[in-house]
Amino acid sequence: MSAVKNPQHMPDTLPLSQMTMLQLDEELAFWTAEIASDERWGISAEIAIEMRLEVEAEMVRRHAAERRNVPFIVDDPGVRPTTIAITGSAHARLDRLPARFIIAFAVVISVIGICAAAALAGQRVMEIETRYAQEVV
C-alpha cells in the first residue's frame, strides 16, 4: 500500500533540514521505491515525486555548503552562510587602468616615434630622388 495513502511513514520523520545525510539517503531510497511502486500499480505518484524532489534539493544544498566549506548547523535553521563577494571583470579592469601620466607618456613617445619614422622615410625618398635625378641627366 502507498505511503502517501498510509501515513505510517509520515509522522515519525524529522524535517529534512534536521536529518543527517544517512537519513536523507534512506528517505531518498524510500521515496524512489514509493514512486516505482505507485507507477507499477498505476497510482498517481505526484506527492511521492514532490517529496523525492525536496529530499534531493536538501542534499544538493548540503553538498554545495560542503564545497564552499561553509559550516551548517543541523538543529538551528536561523544560521545562514556568509555571502562571497566576487569582483566582476569590469570592476577588475577598472582597477588595472594605468594612470593618466603613463598614458600621456606613451602617447608622446608614440608621436615622437612616428615623426622619426616619417623623417627617415623622407630622407630615404630624397636619396632615391637624387640618385635617379643624376642618372636621368
Side-chain angles (χ1 to χ4, degrees):
M1 176 175 258
S2 175
V4 177
K5 309 272 188 288
N6 180 11
Q8 279 181 329
H9 182 74
M10 299 287 197
D12 62 327
T13 58
L14 295 170
L16 296 178
S17 62
Q18 294 180 356
M19 288 185 178
T20 63
M21 284 303 284
L22 182 60
Q23 290 171 326
L24 283 173
D25 286 336
E26 291 172 359
E27 191 77 8
L28 183 67
F30 174 81
W31 287 112
T32 302
E34 190 64 30
I35 292 169
S37 172
D38 287 350
E39 288 175 352
R40 194 174 315 122
W41 291 102
I43 302 170
S44 174
E46 290 178 21
I47 296 173
I49 291 171
E50 288 177 17
M51 290 299 296
R52 182 172 178 227
L53 290 175
E54 287 179 18
V55 171
E56 288 175 343
E58 178 66 22
M59 292 174 83
V60 166
R61 185 189 70 79
R62 290 209 187 158
H63 287 302
E66 287 174 7
R67 281 194 299 271
R68 288 190 311 255
N69 291 328
V70 176
F72 62 93
I73 300 171
V74 174
D75 58 349
D76 187 5
V79 175
R80 294 201 174 137
T82 58
T83 58
I84 299 171
I86 299 173
T87 303
S89 60
H91 191 280
R93 281 194 301 271
L94 284 175
D95 289 344
R96 292 185 183 175
L97 281 179
R100 290 179 184 171
F101 178 73
I102 295 173
I103 294 173
F105 181 73
V107 168
V108 168
I109 293 296
S110 299
V111 169
I112 290 173
I114 290 172
C115 289
L120 289 174
Q123 182 182 2
R124 182 71 177 144
V125 167
M126 290 302 293
E127 287 175 4
I128 292 172
E129 263 187 31
T130 54
R131 183 179 350 152
Y132 286 126
Q134 289 173 358
E135 290 178 7
V136 171
V137 174

